Amino acid sequence: MRLLSLTALVMIAFAANSVLNRMAVHGAGWGPAFTGVVRLSSGAAVLLVMALGTKGWRGMRMLPSVAGAGVATLFLYIYGFSIASGLIDAGVGALTLFGMVQITMFGGALVLREPISLWRWIGAGLAFAGLAVLLAPGSGGQHLDPLGFGLMALAGVGWGLYSLNGRRAGDPLVASALNFALAVPLALIWLGVARDAGQGAAWGWGPALASGAITSGLGYALWYRVLPQIPASLAAIAQLSVPILAALGGAVLLAETPTLRFWIAAALVLGGIALSLRKNRPKAR
């Protein structure tokens, strides 16, 4: 029950990220690169204080290969996510993001030869059906900006790889702190090339800092703590609840009203997650 509660808390943090970033980039008019720098810097500051306070300087260690993969995939996610947040709705963006996460992590589970139960395959298929219903063309369908969709899909690949890497990262707090801190220089280079600092409304600081320090920094540290305790395939399916939560947040804070199609898709996605949690009964002898 405790593991389930922690996983649910992480999913809420991920959904809040979608809403908060869209508020900063689309609502307040902030540049994606500047939003990414603020998000990474504030997350790094909070995580480093916590990690140093509990582990000390001697405890700030991580294998170079794990750190390199973590920083690269985190920045790939931040880059695609920050730009795409200004181009597509929070719910649809989260749907695209975690659809690609699902594909990436299931692929990783197959590569790692992790056993995947029949119920988990059925649950994943049902959840994917829900995504297809939400994005299918026709009455009530969503039009996706091609660039926004492509960049959000790229972010999904980055996040899926980041999640897989987290299973071998060791201490979750130290790993998250180092990943965020080492990704900041990459974001500053991006900001220097993009030159999008100093634009947008001042209130954008609120959602940008909240996204960085709370729902990203603390949320990702908690995610790295949960990941080693659950299979990669189950982690992928659990994250399919995020688009539903993000769409609800978008409806409340951004006036992005869910349609009947959304609720049908939500039922399929959440039903798929529920089925994936079932265990195969042992065969009778």
Side-chain angles (χ1 to χ4, degrees), residues 102-117:
Q102 170 87 332
I103 294 171
T104 303
M105 293 193 70
F106 254 82
L110 292 175
V111 170
L112 296 172
R113 297 183 180 180
E114 179 183 285
I116 301 175
S117 70

Side-chain angles (χ1 to χ4, degrees), residues 35-256:
T35 304
V37 168
V38 172
R39 185 177 172 189
L40 284 171
S41 299
S42 57
V46 170
L47 290 168
L48 285 172
V49 169
M50 293 179 63
L52 289 171
T54 56
K55 305 293 181 180
W57 285 106
R58 293 184 178 180
M60 301 296 289
R61 297 177 180 177
M62 188 164 53
L63 289 174
S65 60
V66 178
V71 171
T73 54
L74 176 61
F75 178 73
L76 180 64
Y77 158 72
I78 290 288
Y79 174 80
F81 187 84
S82 297
I83 300 176
S85 291
L87 301 175
I88 52 180
D89 288 354
V92 176
L95 193 61
T96 304
L97 176 75
F98 287 99
M100 290 305 300
V101 169
Q102 170 87 332
I103 294 171
T104 303
M105 293 193 70
F106 254 82
L110 292 175
V111 170
L112 296 172
R113 297 183 180 180
E114 179 183 285
I116 301 175
S117 70
L118 176 61
W119 282 114
R120 200 156 290 162
W121 280 110
I122 295 174
L126 188 61
F128 266 119
L131 304 188
V133 167
L134 187 60
L135 297 182
S139 176
Q142 293 276 5
H143 170 71
L144 287 181
D145 179 279
L147 178 61
F149 174 80
L151 287 170
M152 194 62 84
L154 182 67
V157 173
W159 180 253
L161 295 175
Y162 183 78
S163 295
L164 289 171
N165 187 64
R167 296 167 65 82
R168 60 193 186 106
D171 187 289
L173 182 59
V174 171
S176 299
L178 292 176
N179 285 336
F180 269 70
L182 295 174
V184 171
L186 295 178
L188 289 173
I189 293 173
W190 173 30
L191 178 61
V193 173
R195 297 181 181 179
D196 65 15
Q199 63 188 54
W203 65 264
W205 279 102
L209 288 172
S211 174
I214 303 173
T215 58
S216 290
L218 300 181
Y220 295 2
L222 184 57
W223 184 228
Y224 261 29
R225 179 181 177 184
V226 169
L227 275 170
Q229 304 177 56
I230 58 178
S233 56
L234 182 56
I237 294 171
Q239 290 179 96
L240 286 175
S241 63
V242 175
I244 308 304
L245 297 172
L248 291 173
V252 174
L253 299 175
L254 302 172
E256 298 171 353

